[in-house]
Amino acid sequence: MENKGKNIEQAQESCYQQWMSLQSQRVPELKQALAQRRTHEGTADAAADDNKLRELTQNIIGDFKNYAGKRADLSHRCSSNYYAPSWNTPLENALLWMGGCRPSSFFRLVYALCGSQTEIRVTQFLRNIDGYDYSGKGSGGASLSDLTAEQLAKINVLHVKIIDEEEKMTKKVSSLQEDAADIPISTVAYAEEHVGEPNAMVDQALDKQEEAMATLLAEADNLRVDTLTKIIEILTLVQAGDFFMAGKKLHLSMHQWGALRDRRRRECIID
């Protein structure tokens, strides 16, 4: 009912805007849940905080699954919009892989946070900031800088597997892109007297192309959701909360940074 009176692109953009709004909503929820968990570390309230944080992380995974399902439904009517969305900034579209981010980028985020948090904690220790506990207990002993060797080994193994899956899907989309110059599209384009005239054979071929692209988009979204789920299974609750908050802030920030760069480009006059 919510899509009544909208064309397909408007419905897809509306779905995206709802998703971005939900990302914005989850950030303060994560901040509050993480702050409470760290404050109550070692107290009787920690168990309740764990339950709240666990419920929130599961809800976030559910958010991803629901969004992927909506995209899959809308993409069957027109999948090409998702490969270069008009509602994205050019910066975001330049970074797209199969209509979204690369699942392997999730691992790069883990590695980046692990290194940056370690550096911050060392700096805090050297400066002897009041209230800082070098043993790690002050932060629940579970930030991403506290990844164990076992956790890192599991993350690395999963990273390699996901890269292999990405390469397989990239080959599929490459094959689809090559098909665009195949029969009957290329022969019709050559034979037509006037460029770009409507043609039933071409429409059928392009419809088939869009269907295949929609299938690949759904596969890519499933891989993204599956990758997130498996990463979270390796992390502790607090680490998972940190990871999700960083990912959401990065996603929201990239959209804003892209819009800022667009405004600057429009204002830049060249001879």
Side-chain angles (χ1 to χ4, degrees), residues 217-249:
L217 177 69
E219 289 181 14
D221 277 350
N222 288 337
L223 182 60
R224 283 184 269 266
V225 172
D226 188 54
T227 302
L228 283 172
T229 302
K230 289 179 178 177
I231 289 176
I232 295 308
E233 290 173 354
I234 297 172
L235 303 178
T236 66
L237 275 174
V238 174
Q239 288 169 347
D242 277 339
F243 170 73
F244 273 139
M245 185 165 66
K248 293 182 185 305
K249 291 179 74 174

Side-chain angles (χ1 to χ4, degrees), residues 51-70:
N51 290 333
K52 290 180 181 179
L53 191 53
R54 184 177 296 105
E55 181 180 2
L56 181 55
T57 56
Q58 290 303 312
N59 287 341
I60 289 171
I61 290 291
D63 293 342
F64 277 102
K65 290 180 179 178
N66 291 336
Y67 182 55
K70 291 177 182 177

Side-chain angles (χ1 to χ4, degrees), residues 10-37:
Q10 290 171 330
Q12 291 171 335
E13 181 173 1
S14 177
C15 177
Y16 166 79
Q17 296 298 346
Q18 291 171 13
W19 169 245
M20 293 294 280
S21 176
L22 182 57
Q23 301 313 291
S24 297
Q25 173 188 327
R26 292 302 190 196
V27 170
E29 291 177 351
L30 282 164
K31 283 184 178 179
Q32 181 180 15
L34 287 167
Q36 287 181 344
R37 175 62 179 81

